[in-house]
Structures are given as C-alpha cells and as structure tokens.
Amino acid sequence: MDNGEQVIRDGIAAIVRDLEPGIENALPDGRNAYLRLITITAGIEAEAGSSLRSSVLAGRAAGLSWERIGAVLGTSRQAAQQRFGEVRPAAPHAHTRRLTPVTAFDEMDRLDEAGKHGWHSVSFGTLYHDLEHSDQQWEHRRVSVFGSRRALEDEGWQRIGAMWIPWAYYARPTGTPALPDDALD
C-alpha cells in the first residue's frame, strides 16, 4: 500500500469515528453497529463517487482529453466518456431556466443578479447553472470543497447539487421580496 492509499484509509476511519464515536467498541457486540457502519460508508462512497465525477468534468472543462482521463482511471477513453460524459437536461417548465454560458470569472456576478429577481441555482455543470424562481431574493456562495462548509450550513445555506471540484455552491433565501423579473441571458 502506498502512502496516498494509507492517508485515504486513515481519513475514512477518522470520518467514521467523527460520525459514530465509539463505533469500534460497539462492533464486536452488536449487529446494529454494523448497520450504522454500513450507512456511514455508503454515504462516503456516494460522496467519493460524486467527487470523482465532478473532478472528471472539471478536468474536461480544463481541457483534458478522455484518453488521458481514461488512462488515469485505468480504463479506455470510450469507457471514461460513457461513464462520465455530461448529460445536460433541459429546464422543464416556466419556473426554471438555464443561465449559460457562465464561467468561474462571471458566474457569481450573474447569480447575484439573478438572485435579486427571485432566481436561485438548483443544479449546475460546465458553463451553466439551472435556476428556479421564487417570490423572494436569493444569495449564492461558491466555496472551496477542501474547506469546512458546516458553518455555512448552520447559517441556513443550502448546498446546490454535488460538489464540483474545486468548488461547492450554496444558496439561501434572503427573506426580501424579489425584484420584478427581467430577462436573463
């Protein structure tokens, strides 16, 4: 086992201990402790899969080829593209719209403007945010996935979709009535 694998394993063990203090002592005596362990590790697996997907899509947005991504993942370029190729669903009804194209340089300004008119991001991908409309203004935040986000969530910020390495996106209503809706590009 290389050092990177050991760091990952130690990190996962620390997460499990943080979420279920004392679980290592409960395992020998109870099946319910195993159910709690399975629940936690299933959540870790789902989050790791989401992080892998966002890393691959961020790499694609940065110009990496499917061939190079497949090589790192130990698969063919075709298999990598089939597994991680982005699907962009269209906005389904009048209370949703897609804000596109947006980049890391302008997306927060454009989300701030949309938020004043009652629009908030509910999902995102390369060069777009899908927005939903409400009767109040919203604020948006983009933070590093590598920092703690617990304080934001404690302050009422709602995570938008899965993390998009290196970013996580959050939105929260302000309680202020939305301004009249102008057309957003």
Side-chain angles (χ1 to χ4, degrees), residues 33-183:
Y34 284 99
L35 290 174
R36 294 193 317 265
L37 179 62
I38 291 167
T39 300
I40 291 168
T41 55
I44 292 169
E45 179 183 41
E47 193 62 39
S50 177
S51 294
L52 175 59
R53 178 173 180 71
S54 67
S55 297
V56 168
L57 294 176
R60 286 289 297 153
L64 288 177
S65 70
W66 284 116
E67 184 173 357
R68 290 189 69 193
I69 292 169
V72 168
L73 296 174
T75 187
S76 68
R77 71 174 175 78
Q78 293 91 346
Q81 187 173 14
Q82 286 175 352
R83 180 174 175 194
F84 297 104
E86 187 173 7
V87 176
R88 294 183 179 189
H93 45 76
H95 294 288
T96 63
R97 63 172 52 150
R98 178 158 287 167
L99 185 63
T100 190
V102 293
T103 68
F105 303 108
D106 70 354
E107 70 182 341
M108 297 314 297
D109 289 337
R110 296 200 48 210
L111 285 169
D112 285 345
E113 184 60 30
K116 292 175 188 175
H117 299 278
W119 294 95
H120 63 283
S121 181
V122 293
S123 67
F124 56 88
T126 305
L127 303 177
Y128 75 92
H129 278 265
D130 284 331
L131 308 178
E132 276 187 6
H133 193 260
S134 74
D135 60 354
Q136 60 183 311
Q137 294 185 31
W138 287 75
E139 54 187 340
H140 294 84
R141 277 259 180 93
R142 179 180 68 195
V143 297
S144 169
V145 299
F146 302 111
S148 174
R149 295 168 306 281
R150 187 175 307 222
L152 279 175
E153 292 168 3
D154 289 346
E155 294 172 2
W157 290 89
Q158 303 163 19
R159 190 170 88 181
I160 302 166
M163 292 182 288
W164 183 267
I165 291 180
W167 308 118
Y169 294 90
Y170 286 83
R172 72 176 174 185
T174 66
T176 304
L179 298 175
D181 188 26
D182 297 333

Side-chain angles (χ1 to χ4, degrees), residues 12-13 15-45:
I12 291 170
I15 292 168
V16 170
R17 282 191 302 273
D18 285 349
L19 292 173
E20 278 287 338
I23 193 164
E24 62 269 23
N25 297 328
L27 287 173
D29 297 325
R31 286 186 271 173
N32 287 335
Y34 284 99
L35 290 174
R36 294 193 317 265
L37 179 62
I38 291 167
T39 300
I40 291 168
T41 55
I44 292 169
E45 179 183 41

